[in-house]
Amino acid sequence: MTHSGKQTIFKPKQQDFLIDVRGLTVDFDIGNHYVRALHGVDLSIRRGETLGVVGESGCGKSITWLAVLGLLGGGAKVSGSARFDGQELVGLTPRQLTAFRGGRIALIFQDPASALNPVHRIGRQIAEALRLHRGLTGKAAKEEARRLLDRVGISNAAQRLNEYPHELSGGMNQRVMIAMALAGEPDLLIADEPTTALDATIQAQILDLLRDLQAETHMAMALISHDLGVIADMADRVSVMYAGRVIEEASAEALFERPAHPYTRGLIGALPDIDGPRHRLEAIPGAVPAPSALPPGCAFSDRCSHVETICHKGPPILGLVGGEDDHSAACVRLDAIEDQELNLASQPSKLVHQRAGLQEGVEA
Ligand SMILES: Nc1ncnc2c1ncn2[C@@H]1O[C@H](COP(=O)(O)OP(=O)(O)O)[C@@H](O)[C@H]1O
Ligand SMILES: [Mg+2]
């Protein structure tokens, strides 16, 4: 879903990126010292493209984007670079960032209740976003709010405008939040676990809606999820995060067909087979370490079945995988494990269709 129709003139690759995050670090003030939670993250998204960002809870998926948007608060030190359409965002004042947030860059969360104001009617909240980002007021704002609610699949839109968030279901509120995000006509939508709190059927509907809207508006999307089924269904490219780093990056196709990093292989191997019996999934043993308690060297080493002494020497950097120029992984043991048979429980083609069944097996 990238740009087509480019001239034959050579352009550096970066120019294609709507957002280009380089070497992003986050340090949290934890009283008497700082602890590093993000260790130099590189991510990029082209116009119209969906980047899936996946990893277990606590890997740094959310703070990456909160850091980019200046939403981490005073206790966090952010450095590195995040260029949005050529404009550096890191280091902007809160006031300068407000011009981007909710406008050209919109954000939706897992929990719409936390983003919607419980004491204001839906219509007023959407109208306020329209005033802020598009200067619409009065009848024009009301009409556009109704159109947006209609567009996100809320029936009786005119009537719903007069309701409060608590009168709507979780799925409906998520649609309202998407409508508010669309109010600013964003070039980039950051969707952070947008369907995690919803049941499987509603989840599928919301993802379909996001896909349709994206095709219509050509907005780019960062889709954050701990659910590989969602990522397989939606993403063009995928960045896998672990303990504050990107540890593998590839096209969705390459990632699901030829996962390289032992962590990615573990995540994919833990998915249920759609044809097989339903059973509780065996996740990768252990848990993501806290930022203050990383093992020396590779942060995944204490959970990795391929660990060797060399893994403790230092954190591995991303290197190209198997001669593919758009597939990289951060593991010093890649050569040794590459040839080993990967016993994938699921094939990517199945993943796309089994999403609805995933919720039953995966403990979020
Ligand atoms: N304000 C904060 N202060 C200290 N640590 C934090 C703060 N916010 C997040 N963290 C830590 O940063 C790490 C990454 O968090 P997060 O990005 O929320 O993970 P994810 O979204 O991948 O589940 C976690 O270990 C989390 O505990
Ligand atoms: Mg998160």
Side-chain angles (χ1 to χ4, degrees), residues 28 37 56-63 291:
F28 286 114
E56 292 162 290
S57 184
C59 283
K61 305 183 297 297
S62 294
I63 60 170

Side-chain angles (χ1 to χ4, degrees), residues 25-30 34-35 63 67 71-79:
T25 65
V26 169
D27 298 276
F28 286 114
D29 184 354
I30 55 161
Y34 279 89
V35 62
I63 60 170
L71 290 170
L72 281 176
K77 252 190 338 205
V78 177
S79 63

Side-chain angles (χ1 to χ4, degrees), residues 318-329:
L318 283 170
L320 291 180
V321 173
E324 303 171 69
D325 66 358
D326 58 350
H327 187 174
S328 52

Side-chain angles (χ1 to χ4, degrees), residues 10 23 54 68 117 121 156 161-162 172 178 191-192 198 232 246 251 255 303 328:
F10 173 78
V54 72
V68 165
N117 189 329
R121 295 175 201 275
N156 295 328
L161 287 174
N162 292 317
M172 284 289 184
I178 294 169
D192 190 348
L198 307 173
V246 174
S251 69
L255 191 93
R303 301 174 72 189
S328 52

Side-chain angles (χ1 to χ4, degrees), residues 4-89:
S4 56
K6 280 248 155 75
Q7 305 294 308
T8 46
I9 308 162
F10 173 78
K11 283 186 182 166
K13 228 176 165 184
Q14 269 83 339
Q15 302 247 320
D16 289 343
F17 294 133
L18 177 65
I19 186 151
D20 191 24
V21 175
R22 294 289 129 195
L24 192 72
T25 65
V26 169
D27 298 276
F28 286 114
D29 184 354
I30 55 161
N32 51 356
H33 68 290
Y34 279 89
V35 62
R36 179 149 293 189
L38 224 53
H39 300 258
V41 163
D42 295 345
L43 293 169
S44 50
I45 313 179
R46 296 178 179 87
R47 289 174 194 280
E49 184 180 55
T50 297
L51 176 74
V53 182
V54 72
E56 292 162 290
S57 184
C59 283
K61 305 183 297 297
S62 294
I63 60 170
T64 297
W65 298 99
L66 294 174
V68 165
L69 293 176
L71 290 170
L72 281 176
K77 252 190 338 205
V78 177
S79 63
S81 164
R83 295 187 79 81
F84 176 76
D85 205 9
Q87 156 90 56
E88 179 61 55
L89 299 181

